[in-house]
Amino acid sequence: MAARRAVSSLLSRCLYASPNTLSPSLLPKGERAHGAAAGILQRFSTAAAVEDPVAPPVQVNYTKLLIDGKFVDSASGKTFPTLDPRTGEVIAHVAEGDAEDINRAVHAARKAFDEGPWPKMTAYERSRILLRFADLIDKHNDELAALETWDNGKPYEQAAKIEVPMLSRLMRYYAGWADKIHGLIVPADGPHHVQVLHEPIGVAGQIIPWNFPLLMFAWKVGPALACGNTIVLKSAEQTPLTALYAAKLLHEAGLPEGVLNVVSGFGPTAGAALASHMDVDKIAFTGSTETGKIIQELAARSNLKPVTLELGGKSPFIIMDDANIDHAVELAHFALFFNQGQCCCAGSRTFVHENVYDEFVEKSKARALKRVVGDPFKNGVEQGPQIDDEQFSKVLRYIRAGVDSGATLVTGGERAGSKGFYIQPTVFSDVKDNMVIAQEEIFGPVQSILKFKDLNEVIQRANASKYGLAAGVFTNNLNTANTLMRALRVGTVWINCFDVFDAAIPFGGYKMSGVGREKGVDSLKNYLQVKAVVTPLRNSAWL
């Protein structure tokens, strides 16, 4: 199927827990949010799988902060629990970093940049270390995937066959760039020799989200190291385990001490301290738009460090009346429900031409009912739990808001099972542009299907959003595709596909979906300074 082929093209995505903008009064009634398992089983035949969790085939070995090449306790001695989304039970207690730990990590990164071998090392040797790291990722593929599934709740098959291989691919991509970053000699209007140098920016602060922890680790760490920088990385408090494991492998590959420091902790303490630190030269953040605003303000109020932001989205997925409806249904389903709907670029506004709308809705309902929800460690499971209770409750509030606003609840709408943070695949029809579920980022398995009449109308409506991260177009008409790809105000347009990610393809948004680009050659620019060097020429043979 089209969606399966798109998966094999390697996917990833952004981001994080979006701010909760709905009132707690919208929380569904107890009987709606916690419907009896017997009722669920009538509609979702695999829901029983969530009741008996599989023992993860991996152990947790790294729970301390990684500072200056060593695993250490937090300065305060505090820890926090990281939870299994399948049950809500504690996996491990992880060191809780705060401002003092950020200071220690920044000091180590600064010393490594100013005095250590990393920026002075030949680019070729940096490349070899990144390549050895990629080999170690391949060697430890199953352990990394199991930790990711256990801590995040995503299907193990997705982590093991798509995301971890993409992690090693990204590191090889950036290893290839390390010795190809160069400056320019430019002509001047006079007797001067002018060099343009591209230099590492220094100490990079990086804050990654919980929805794709390993891939976001690669998107941030890869280009920063290729350019010769040092790093302080704050992992998401919901998913701290795989960043520590990956960082350990990177040091095993030969990374010098202090070049990569990993601090687990919370946004208001560790994250804020990193963004406002006076000795951090650059900050990169993936997460919600509201948090991105705070990061940018903290950076400006401190040392005016440059900021790249990869933020939220409310991506339109446009289905024209010439489309193959069966293929369009499958692709739209994938675009929304992949990764439990916890994707910043999810196709969360499904625009369908009025001529095929009713057929599309019925087939989307049937596909949602077939979706396999269950323990993500079990073979064949398509959808695991949401990341935590906060996200679980927020999604249920959005579902209630959709019902209250007059949208038609076609299927789903309740929790699945009685344990963990599982939600039924949910489909709404008759959705209007002014409804909350059509405007705000739900970040969950909730598909909103809207009807449109013509091309001009859908362009206007698709662009009528504060977000501009991505869009999908499904049509057999080349002229229609060309019109939409230029008219849509977004950073990525997928035509007859969705969530196709590649190391070389830049990713980022327009409007309030962010600033700057991840991946590809454009990502290197985030971690380089440009310096002009001008020298007089005397009796030059040529200019």
Side-chain angles (χ1 to χ4, degrees), residues 16-35:
Y16 48 94
S18 300
N20 182 1
T21 55
L22 288 178
S23 166
S25 66
L26 293 176
L27 184 64
K29 302 294 184 182
E31 60 271 20
R32 182 172 185 84
H34 306 283

Side-chain angles (χ1 to χ4, degrees), residues 182-307:
H182 54 76
L184 298 169
I185 303 296
V186 298
D189 292 338
H192 293 91
H193 177 74
V194 181
Q195 303 173 70
V196 179
L197 305 181
H198 292 161
E199 301 181 344
I201 201 167
V203 176
Q206 302 179 330
I207 303 174
I208 61 174
W210 51 255
N211 61 332
F212 292 96
L214 281 172
L215 286 174
M216 297 302 100
F217 178 96
W219 287 21
K220 297 288 190 291
V221 170
L225 292 184
C227 293
N229 298 283
T230 59
I231 300 168
V232 177
L233 181 140
K234 192 200 87 67
S235 57
E237 60 268 27
Q238 297 89 345
T239 54
L241 300 180
T242 50
L244 293 169
Y245 195 111
K248 179 260 182 188
L249 294 179
L250 189 44
H251 282 80
E252 187 177 329
L255 190 74
E257 294 180 353
V259 175
L260 172 62
N261 306 272
V262 179
V263 178
S264 49
F266 294 87
T269 50
L274 185 58
S276 59
H277 203 288
M278 293 296 292
D279 209 19
V280 171
D281 299 304
K282 186 264 183 311
I283 195 82
F285 170 78
T286 294
S288 72
T289 296
E290 292 306 311
T291 304
K293 292 179 180 179
I294 296 171
I295 296 292
Q296 195 159 37
E297 181 179 358
L298 290 172
R301 288 180 178 274
S302 52
N303 58 346
L304 205 63
K305 60 179 72 67
V307 179

Side-chain angles (χ1 to χ4, degrees), residues 356-377:
V356 294
Y357 185 84
D358 292 341
E359 178 185 3
F360 183 91
V361 169
E362 285 303 309
K363 290 184 175 181
S364 294
K365 173 184 176 180
R367 179 62 180 91
L369 287 168
K370 291 178 182 177
R371 187 167 184 79
V372 182
V373 180
D375 189 317
F377 280 106

